[in-house]
Amino acid sequence: MMKIENLKFDEKGLIPAVVQDARTKEILTVAYMNLESLHKTVETGETWFFSRSRNELWHKGETSGNTQKVVSITTDCDQDALVVEVIPAGPACHNGTTSCFTETVVEKGKVGSVGIIPELVEIIEKREKEMPEGAYTTYLFNEGIDKICKKVGEEATEVVIGAKNRNPEEVKWEAADLIYHLLVLLQEQKISVYDVLEVLVERHQQKRASTKNTK
């Protein structure tokens, strides 16, 4: 692990910091740190930056409450830029959006992204709270755990059938249904999908560690 003092700050004593949601991996904002703000970030466990316009340190969320709990800080191969992974307590942007990056400059196509998972999680949680009439998710929560479990089982079976039939299109659609219903089940059980992902991370790290030890 490298020392903070070995980082390469620019001629003004600053280093760019890309702030990323540690769970969703969404880029939240880009700011600047100097040595003092970086030390305060490490010491407090929350992000501190240096404002070039005000020429002073500022603690993210000090007035808004939208603090950012630091999970990790990494640097690039040149050691002149940072990626700060955080768990945000609210929107990162002063405009009230989750991320500062909301304006599309170029878009040549769309691809499937894990970013849909946190979006679905948010929608499902909102459905359970508000229970809007006519929504399928509302219907599932009204029917209760037995219905939700039944749907998870049904969709899992459909995935298996599609795979046995060597039908990629069917597997794709049924797998999507399975993931959605599993997210509903997790919400009903009040289990965070990020806690599930943490289990996968821990298992993977343990396996890598055991593999290294056997070499």
Side-chain angles (χ1 to χ4, degrees):
M1 187 175 297
M2 70 168 298
K3 295 181 179 179
I4 290 176
E5 287 73 14
N6 292 337
L7 292 169
K8 297 175 184 177
F9 295 83
D10 66 17
E11 66 279 359
K12 296 181 180 179
L14 302 177
I15 190 170
V18 178
V19 183
Q20 181 180 34
D21 190 310
R23 296 170 300 187
T24 68
K25 302 306 179 183
E26 182 177 11
I27 301 300
L28 301 178
T29 191
V30 175
Y32 286 85
M33 292 181 171
N34 62 7
L35 187 58
E36 184 182 0
S37 67
L38 182 51
H39 275 300
K40 290 183 77 69
T41 295
V42 174
E43 291 167 4
T44 65
E46 294 183 351
T47 52
W48 284 74
F49 303 107
F50 183 83
S51 172
R52 294 173 296 170
S53 60
R54 300 194 304 271
N55 195 37
E56 63 181 12
L57 299 186
W58 62 283
H59 177 202
K60 172 61 181 172
E62 185 173 10
T63 56
S64 67
N66 299 329
T67 55
Q68 297 170 339
K69 181 181 178 181
V70 176
V71 174
S72 68
I73 301 175
T74 56
T75 187
D76 66 335
C77 56
D78 294 323
Q79 301 177 358
D80 61 359
L82 301 175
V83 172
V84 185
E85 290 201 345
V86 303
I87 297 177
C93 185
H94 69 281
N95 289 326
T97 54
T98 299
S99 169
C100 292
F101 294 90
T102 57
E103 301 295 328
T104 301
V105 178
V106 177
E107 185 173 12
K108 294 187 177 182
K110 292 186 179 295
V111 296
S113 167
V114 293
I116 190 61
I117 298 297
E119 187 174 337
L120 283 176
V121 168
E122 184 177 340
I123 291 173
I124 291 169
E125 182 179 358
K126 188 176 181 180
R127 289 284 191 272
E128 187 184 35
K129 289 179 180 178
E130 299 178 357
M131 299 293 276
E133 187 176 350
Y136 176 65
T137 310
T138 299
Y139 161 74
L140 290 175
F141 284 127
N142 277 330
E143 290 296 307
I145 188 60
D146 288 345
K147 181 65 175 180
I148 296 171
C149 287
K150 182 180 179 182
K151 290 300 298 181
V152 171
E154 288 176 353
E155 300 303 343
T157 301
E158 292 294 335
V159 171
V160 172
I161 292 172
K164 292 287 287 183
N165 290 336
R166 301 293 181 182
N167 188 331
E169 195 68 16
E170 183 179 353
V171 171
K172 180 176 69 176
W173 284 91
E174 297 301 341
D177 286 342
L178 174 59
I179 291 171
Y180 160 75
H181 285 93
L182 181 58
L183 291 176
V184 173
L185 176 63
L186 290 175
Q187 177 61 34
E188 197 280 339
Q189 296 285 299
K190 300 300 176 287
I191 298 173
S192 169
V193 66
Y194 302 112
D195 290 339
V196 177
L197 295 175
E198 186 177 351
V199 172
L200 291 176
V201 170
E202 290 177 355
R203 287 179 179 176
H204 178 61
Q205 290 175 340
Q206 290 171 1
K207 187 173 181 179
R208 284 202 308 179
S210 63
T211 301
K212 288 181 180 180
N213 291 335
T214 55
K215 290 183 179 179

